[in-house]
Amino acid sequence: MITLKNRPSDKTRFYQWQDKVFKYFALCCTLIGLFVLALLLYNILSVGLHRLDWNFLNSTSSQRASNAGIKSAMVGTVYIALYTSLFALPIGISAAIYLEEYAGKNKFTNFLEVNIANLAGVPSVIYGLLGLEVFSRIMMLKNSILTGSLTLALLILPIIIVSTREALKSVPYSLREASYALGASKWQTIWHQVLPASSGGIFTGIILALSRAIGETAPLIVIGAVVFIKTVPNSIMDKFTVLPIQIFHWISQPQKAFAANAAAGIIVLLLITFLLNGIAVYLRYRWQKKIKW
Amino acid sequence: MKKYILILGIAYVACSCGGGNTTNESTNTSQNVKDIQIDGSSTVYPVSSAIAEEFMKAETGVNITISESGSGGGFKKFIRQEIDIANASRPITKKEDSLCKAAGVEYLELPIAYDGLVVVVNPKNTWVDYLKKSELKKMWEPAAEGKITKWSQIRQGWPDEEIHLYGAGTASGTFDYFTEAICGKAKAIRKDYNPSENDNVLVQGISSDRLALGYFGIHYYKENSKILKLVPIDDEDDTNGKGPIYPNEITVKNGTYQPLSRPLFIYVNKKSTERPEVDKFIQYYLDSAAVKVPETGYITLNKSTYELVKKRYLDKITGSLYLDIKTLVGIRPDELYMSEASQTAQ
């Protein structure tokens, strides 16, 4: 009897040990990410912080590192972020709702699903080439903010669709059934029940997608975003530059002083990303608070 | 939540309407706003941007923008007439020239500076005193791949240690020129070396690797001369300077640093020069190049050549002088323009 009791406890001890090992392994993995981020922040702040002043924020391109600034790039990035989300969000979320809530399971929707998943994996330069041909040349929008944000909207559409669908899927079916039982139509159910219940997941997807759009360089270079510009864009048909392009350009300059500019540019880009993400996190919080079930 | 969606919707509609309006506006104002668009090589960028900056200080109301899609990318946009000026670190090719003709684009070819490609090693490298062109070929040519892996294989007496090669990435004009000058054919190169499109990465790599050798534009060497060792090159042709020669202002300009000196160009659409702001900018460019080029780390053409180039521009002589030349290596604008000028004088 004693031996019989001991055997499972041996196994249990092993499982407990295994559990502990995995716990610390996972903790290590978490810390690696944080450590790298801290290192990066330290490195960037130590190189770039002294360069970050009003002058830097309020100047435009220059061949002299000390005169160069990010005014046009900053405004360009904000414009691009706003218009990209304006184009991508309604289309992406609507497409996801159609695929998840309305479309039946047939060959056509399967075909759509496979293609959307594939699109999410296409390199961003390809989107740049598409944008150059379709928006810049055929639609004659040239190398404007509109072309840039339409291109980036295409780039993040698959990400938004996929993440929104996952969020919609996570809403329990019983919730929909309860809504139907009370006599609600399909649209009423989606609008009043499903969307609010899945808003957390949807916003997480939006945050990820938007952060990606803000950090993109390659597709914007392909559509002809400029590197040297003395003016600040004030309409969506204006030529523009964005922070990642300026950072990329400065890093490849031979003069050491430009490296400090690049670091300072990265700090501003990080701040803008945090700010936009902050807004999304706040909205997520506001919406989730309203859900009571 | 409805409110948010409503706001989003209104903004969406407003913005799509706004898009339509501004399209019309921009086509109307494109004649009023004095826009000059430049695109092309990132090697020529520092010169063009430095001169554009000065020009815009003097001429308010002119807006010059510069992009960096590479010499080839710049010419593509130039042929489609999407830009006024193409920066190029190499002359226009025959193919590009015929595409220009087909599209009805007449262009003015203006050489503006020299760039010298430098060959550098780590400062701890004590054995390399100079390199012959044939030795460079031996280590870089496609046949060297996997075979030439040690310094001792390049020249007798050099250490029996690995050689680590660093060079420009395959998308750059620097790569095209170096391979043509050293290996005899553009883009012919061994594949087992460390490539980077960012020259600062090459500088970093070579300065931290005792067994490294690499090449890049002379202005990157000037900014990093303390952490790199410059190698003089012997092109094994005594007619243009005997023995190994260091690249510097004098040797690049007088053509004795061969075969790694190359000219840099801007190409201007002739139709664009009918616009007074473009015409003024080009003249300003050619007048101030002699002062501005050294500031960017490149090397000026002869003063007389700038005058010949400007005269050629003012006479609106279109087309390229480089189309019928078999190899670009060793062909210098100074000589080309002098010989053209003397021919027209006869």
Side-chain angles (χ1 to χ4, degrees), chain B residues 46-310:
Chain B
V47 186
S48 288
S49 68
I51 293 176
E53 201 178 337
E54 285 300 309
F55 181 73
M56 279 192 280
K57 268 184 205 155
E59 296 280 323
T60 46
V62 179
N63 182 26
I64 303 174
T65 56
I66 311 175
S67 309
E68 288 182 318
S69 42
S71 297
F75 275 126
K76 274 187 195 138
K77 291 189 173 159
F78 187 73
I79 291 160
R80 297 182 79 116
Q81 306 192 44
E82 290 170 350
I83 55 171
D84 304 304
I85 299 165
N87 286 334
S89 62
R90 56 162 176 81
I92 194 166
T93 61
K94 266 192 175 158
K95 200 177 158 203
E96 285 160 347
D97 176 72
S98 57
L99 285 171
C100 273
K101 283 199 181 99
V105 176
E106 286 186 285
Y107 61 85
L108 298 140
E109 177 185 66
L110 312 169
I112 44 127
Y114 284 116
D115 179 20
L117 299 186
V118 297
V119 175
V120 293
V121 292
N122 189 282
K124 284 191 197 128
N125 181 322
T126 49
W127 55 93
V128 174
D129 43 0
Y130 70 94
L131 275 164
K132 288 183 194 160
K133 191 189 156 203
S134 58
E135 287 167 335
L136 278 174
K137 186 176 182 206
K138 201 170 169 188
M139 61 175 100
W140 284 101
E141 67 185 348
E145 193 170 323
K147 286 189 192 129
I148 307 293
T149 53
K150 295 203 163 143
W151 282 98
S152 53
Q153 288 169 295
I154 312 288
R155 196 187 295 173
Q156 267 194 342
W158 281 359
D160 189 28
E161 288 188 275
E162 277 183 24
I163 181 166
H164 300 154
L165 296 170
Y166 293 77
T170 53
S172 72
T174 310
F175 170 79
D176 289 353
Y177 187 86
F178 183 84
T179 45
E180 179 165 350
I182 297 302
C183 305
K185 199 176 153 225
K187 296 188 192 293
I189 199 160
R190 67 190 294 174
K191 292 197 180 62
D192 50 348
Y193 72 101
N194 301 310
S196 175
E197 303 291 349
N198 183 344
D199 290 342
N200 282 331
V201 175
L202 301 177
V203 170
Q204 277 293 320
I206 298 162
S207 65
S208 58
D209 179 352
R210 190 174 61 91
L211 302 170
L213 178 142
Y215 70 88
F216 40 74
I218 193 166
H219 58 311
Y220 282 86
Y221 172 73
K222 282 184 183 166
E223 298 288 332
N224 298 287
S225 53
K226 280 179 193 145
I227 53 171
L228 297 167
K229 181 179 159 188
L230 191 59
V231 180
I233 305 295
D234 181 3
D235 70 344
E236 294 161 276
D237 175 5
D238 287 348
T239 54
N240 53 17
K242 213 172 174 175
I245 287 166
Y246 278 104
N248 57 39
E249 272 81 1
I250 299 154
T251 57
V252 171
K253 202 166 173 174
N254 68 15
T256 48
Y257 181 68
Q258 288 295 356
L260 295 175
S261 307
R262 60 169 177 174
L264 305 176
F265 302 86
I266 57 170
Y267 285 79
V268 192
N269 189 328
K270 192 185 171 194
K271 218 162 82 191
S272 297
T273 63
E274 286 161 15
R275 280 159 37 211
E277 68 271 15
V278 177
D279 184 50
K280 226 173 178 178
F281 175 61
I282 297 296
Q283 294 199 35
Y284 183 85
Y285 203 125
L286 296 174
D287 289 340
S288 59
V291 182
K292 280 283 159 193
V293 164
E295 284 177 22
T296 57
Y298 295 114
I299 292 140
T300 57
L301 309 175
N302 287 332
K303 217 170 176 191
S304 55
T305 312
Y306 281 121
E307 279 159 18
L308 288 173
V309 172
K310 193 176 176 190

Side-chain angles (χ1 to χ4, degrees), chain A residues 165-181:
Chain A
R165 288 192 64 188
E166 289 308 317
L168 294 174
K169 258 185 214 164
S170 70
V171 177
Y173 205 74
S174 53
L175 191 77
R176 296 181 177 86
E177 282 168 344
S179 177
Y180 295 144

Side-chain angles (χ1 to χ4, degrees), chain A residues 14-86:
Chain A
F14 171 73
Y15 286 139
Q16 279 171 345
W17 174 81
Q18 197 184 33
D19 186 41
K20 240 181 215 163
V21 168
F22 184 74
K23 183 181 133 193
Y24 286 114
F25 173 73
L27 179 71
C28 275
C29 292
T30 317
L31 289 180
I32 285 174
L34 283 176
F35 177 71
V36 171
L37 180 70
L39 207 68
L40 184 82
L41 281 178
Y42 169 74
N43 192 5
I44 300 243
L45 287 175
S46 62
V47 178
L49 205 56
H50 73 95
R51 188 67 189 84
L52 202 59
D53 51 20
W54 176 245
N55 222 356
F56 181 69
L57 296 176
N58 200 33
S59 321
T60 52
S61 307
S62 172
Q63 199 44 41
R64 269 178 230 282
S66 53
N67 293 346
I70 52 164
K71 194 178 176 188
S72 334
M74 221 161 45
V75 177
T77 292
V78 170
Y79 262 101
I80 286 283
L82 281 178
Y83 284 106
T84 302
S85 42
L86 271 181

Side-chain angles (χ1 to χ4, degrees), chain A residues 62-63 86 137 143 191 224-228 230-231 237 239 249 251-256 286-287, chain B residues 1 4-5 12 22 35 37 45 49 53 56 63 65-68 77 80 82 198 200 220 223-224:
Chain A
S62 172
Q63 199 44 41
L86 271 181
R137 287 179 179 159
N143 50 354
W191 187 245
V226 298
V227 176
F228 179 92
K230 281 297 214 182
T231 53
M237 290 313 293
K239 289 186 273 293
H249 171 74
I251 282 175
S252 55
Q253 291 302 298
Q255 293 87 353
K256 286 280 170 296
R286 280 281 303 269
W287 281 20
Chain B
M1 190 176 88
Y4 291 120
I5 300 285
Y12 187 59
T22 38
D35 255 350
Q37 292 210 53
Y45 170 93
S49 68
E53 201 178 337
M56 279 192 280
N63 182 26
T65 56
I66 311 175
S67 309
E68 288 182 318
K77 291 189 173 159
R80 297 182 79 116
E82 290 170 350
N198 183 344
N200 282 331
Y220 282 86
E223 298 288 332
N224 298 287

